[in-house]
Amino acid sequence: MTEISVSGICAVIVSYQPDPAAIADLLGRVMPQVGAVALVDNASGGDWQAAIGELLATHGGALLGQSRNIGLAAAQNVGIDWARARGFRHVLLLDQDSEPGADMVAALWRALQVLSAAGKVAAVGPRFHDPREHRDAPFVRIGFPLNRKQWCAADTPSVACDFLISSGMLIPLAVLDRVGPMDAGLFIDNVDLEWGFRARAQGYALHGVCAATMYHRLGDGRRALPFGRGRIVVHGSLRLYYMMRNRLLLYRLPHTPRTWVAQDLPRVLAKLFLFGVLVGPRWRNLRCMLRGLHDGLRGRRGACPDELSGYG
């Protein structure tokens, strides 16, 4: 990795009630790969912050503690603004539980330079692997009635895709200036999806980089379905609220692909059945999902209603 690429990239990590050991491990992995790290903490509290803040400051970064939980998207924007104000040219978004490979940033950087020379690129992201799965996750092209999974092959340097998960995305700040910041009104879920749709609508491409690797856990766990019908990703009840609400908010946005809306609608019914009938806590899940649909129809944005906050 060249000195220019290191000095020009700021990693932006968002944390909320993190495992201090996991945060320390993540910083140990990413700090050698970037110019600085901005850790935006959503009012977690705890004794770990003093030592982490000192470590970050020593390496030119900062712990940007928030007085309340402002959500993932707004926290990402705080970190992005910090990076912009200090002259960084790219940001690398990371979640608190991600584990970037030793050369992930170098691989992303090289791919971004090559791809940008051939066209408008909004962001690149790594191939990620959930430790609970037996293979890497594919990149995705939106299709109807089903999405098309794009797998990395031995001779494939990168894969064009229609969206990237936010953790691991390397984005030029010049692109963020044109496409706009993350949508803070979504608070947490589908933030990466909405930004990717917005960038694609403006003529930008997204690419998954096969040589860049990262471990990342999707969801709170895995649960076996009855009658041996496989396993599904399980989320907490409050996350189900945001998933349901935000998908309806995305449906009405002009830059959301109509193909995605058409093939996502059946997933609403599937999730209501899975988490309201098959996977507990059923009543809590159902209440949160139905409230999410109600609030999505009404156009409610921001944090969840106060009466649901205890389900987090």
Side-chain angles (χ1 to χ4, degrees):
M1 197 177 202
T2 66
E3 181 63 29
I4 292 176
S5 65
V6 169
S7 64
I9 298 173
C10 176
V12 174
I13 303 170
V14 176
S15 63
Y16 177 66
Q17 298 180 354
D19 175 358
I23 285 290
D25 179 69
L26 172 55
L27 292 178
R29 291 172 183 269
V30 74
M31 283 194 302
Q33 301 189 51
V34 298
V37 176
L39 173 60
V40 187
D41 182 73
N42 271 327
S44 299
D47 297 336
W48 61 273
Q49 294 192 356
I52 291 296
E54 183 177 345
L55 174 65
L56 288 167
T58 301
H59 291 81
L63 172 61
L64 308 175
Q66 305 302 299
S67 60
R68 60 183 177 85
N69 182 4
I70 62 175
L72 173 66
Q76 288 175 335
N77 291 336
V78 168
I80 290 168
D81 289 343
W82 186 92
R84 181 185 288 109
R86 283 151 185 81
F88 289 97
R89 290 169 292 177
H90 298 77
V91 290
L92 174 75
L93 303 182
L94 288 169
D95 290 349
Q96 65 188 35
D97 58 351
S98 297
E99 301 177 17
D103 60 348
M104 185 191 82
V105 181
L108 290 174
W109 170 259
R110 289 192 294 264
L112 181 61
Q113 304 316 299
V114 172
L115 293 165
S116 296
K120 294 170 59 178
V121 178
V124 293
R127 178 172 51 160
F128 78 90
H129 182 92
D130 190 313
R132 297 162 296 187
E133 301 292 341
H134 300 298
R135 60 181 178 179
D136 295 334
F139 298 104
V140 173
R141 297 307 299 257
I142 296 170
F144 185 84
L146 299 173
N147 289 330
R148 300 190 304 275
K149 296 180 179 180
Q150 309 282 93
W151 302 96
C152 285
D155 58 346
T156 305
S158 63
V159 177
C161 55
D162 287 328
F163 57 86
L164 295 163
I165 67 168
S166 61
S167 189
M169 272 207 298
L170 178 63
I171 312 173
L173 278 168
V175 171
L176 280 162
D177 290 339
R178 298 186 189 101
V179 175
M182 303 300 156
D183 186 344
L186 297 178
F187 201 76
I188 184 167
D189 273 289
N190 288 342
V191 174
D192 42 15
L193 199 62
E194 187 279 329
W195 190 87
F197 288 163
R198 199 178 344 138
R200 295 275 291 136
Q202 295 185 33
Y204 286 93
L206 300 168
H207 291 270
V209 179
C210 296
T213 58
M214 180 181 71
Y215 283 94
H216 180 75
R217 291 178 178 268
L218 287 178
D220 297 330
R222 295 291 189 273
R223 187 79 62 84
L225 290 172
F227 312 113
R229 301 298 293 178
R231 298 172 65 84
I232 58 170
V233 177
V234 176
H235 298 275
S237 300
L238 193 56
R239 288 295 297 274
L240 292 173
Y241 165 84
Y242 286 112
M243 287 178 177
M244 288 299 190
R245 187 198 70 178
N246 288 356
R247 67 192 337 125
L248 264 63
L249 295 179
L250 262 62
Y251 289 173
R252 66 182 65 184
L253 295 176
H255 52 265
T256 299
R258 298 302 99 182
T259 302
W260 179 81
V261 175
Q263 55 108 303
D264 187 70
L265 281 168
R267 283 201 287 268
V268 174
L269 297 177
K271 286 185 179 293
L272 284 170
F273 177 72
L274 284 172
F275 298 107
V277 177
L278 297 181
V279 178
R282 296 172 183 84
W283 169 243
R284 180 181 293 185
N285 289 344
L286 190 60
R287 181 188 179 191
C288 287
M289 288 188 291
L290 291 176
R291 181 59 187 268
L293 293 174
H294 176 264
D295 286 353
L297 287 171
R298 294 174 57 238
R300 177 178 179 134
R301 299 165 62 81
C304 71
D306 290 341
E307 62 266 28
L308 298 183
S309 60
Y311 291 164

